[in-house]
Amino acid sequence: EPEVTQTPSHQVTQMGQEVILRCVPISNHLYFYWYRQILGQKVEFLVSFYNNEISEKSEIFDDQFSVERPDGSNFTLKIRSTKLEDSAMYFCASAARLSNTGELFFGEGSRLTVL
Amino acid sequence: GENVEQHPSTLSVQEGDSAVIKCTYSDSASNYFPWYKQELGKGPQLIIDIRSNVGEKKDQRIAVTLNKTAKHFSLHITETQPEDSAVYFCAAPGGSQGNLIFGKGTKLSVKP
């Protein structure tokens, strides 16, 4: 069964460092998302990406965050200068169609720990 | 924007009993309501969803009901098994680009 894969599974970084989280969405999907989940809390939307541009973003997705799809397969989330409060599980998701008509498939997540 | 509330936050049942998790939403224009199951250390996985043109949908031991007037929807799991133990999230559309707004989650524990 096709799946969304994410790397790394766990990254530890020092505050102020740049972090790049990588995702390989399901191959025929067109819509891509990043969500985050702070430990023990709900899953929060960060950003959606379609047709090589951001289609929607939340208040959490400030100037420290960026996304790109550099080669048509990988979908990356970059945090330019990490803060302690960026520590969370980051989930990538993809969909063949918009979620009100099709399923959102999630990866297993990348745990980011900022020290 | 959409706001999703979910109750209870924790639920413990005996194996074989039923479990019910409830959610409310705020945007009357929302038309799609999925339920996700998250096992420890894994990403959320869709288990069932319902669209606003129906009031109930069933898939083996799980069912979802939707009351559009009251703006609430519920997940029902019958004949619970230990492998049903997980965190369950309800969700509703958060915008026009397919993003979802999740509830805070319900940790379900099924005791053998």
Side-chain angles (χ1 to χ4, degrees), chain A:
Chain A
E1 185 177 325
E3 59 182 16
V4 176
T5 56
Q6 289 186 242
T7 55
S9 57
H10 189 192
Q11 180 154 355
V12 181
T13 190
Q14 294 291 325
M15 189 169 58
Q17 295 296 305
E18 176 183 283
V19 161
I20 297 176
L21 304 178
R22 291 182 168 79
C23 169
V24 179
I26 294 172
S27 62
N28 63 342
H29 284 188
L30 302 175
Y31 299 86
F32 312 108
Y33 306 84
W34 282 101
Y35 287 78
R36 80 169 186 192
Q37 185 178 33
I38 294 171
L39 187 63
Q41 297 188 25
K42 67 177 176 179
V43 179
E44 300 175 291
F45 169 71
L46 292 179
V47 66
S48 59
F49 193 86
Y50 170 71
N51 200 26
N52 283 321
E53 60 183 19
I54 290 174
S55 47
E56 202 157 17
K57 60 183 180 179
S58 71
E59 292 175 352
I60 302 167
F61 195 88
D62 61 22
D63 292 343
Q64 294 299 314
F65 291 89
S66 62
V67 289
E68 63 174 4
R69 196 155 181 253
D71 56 12
S73 62
N74 290 285
F75 178 50
T76 63
L77 174 69
K78 182 192 290 186
I79 308 174
R80 188 175 19 242
S81 177
T82 50
K83 304 187 284 284
L84 294 176
E85 53 265 38
D86 292 329
S87 294
M89 185 75 98
Y90 288 81
F91 292 105
C92 174
S94 70
R97 303 181 297 279
L98 289 177
S99 72
N100 58 355
T101 57
E103 178 179 350
L104 212 60
F105 289 82
F106 284 83
E108 297 211 333
S110 293
R111 179 172 298 285
L112 175 65
T113 302
V114 182
L115 303 176

Side-chain angles (χ1 to χ4, degrees), chain B residues 48-62:
Chain B
I48 195 167
D49 56 18
I50 191 167
R51 303 182 196 285
S52 58
N53 58 342
V54 297
E56 184 174 359
K57 183 176 177 181
K58 203 170 180 181
D59 182 3
Q60 298 181 1
R61 295 186 298 108
I62 58 173

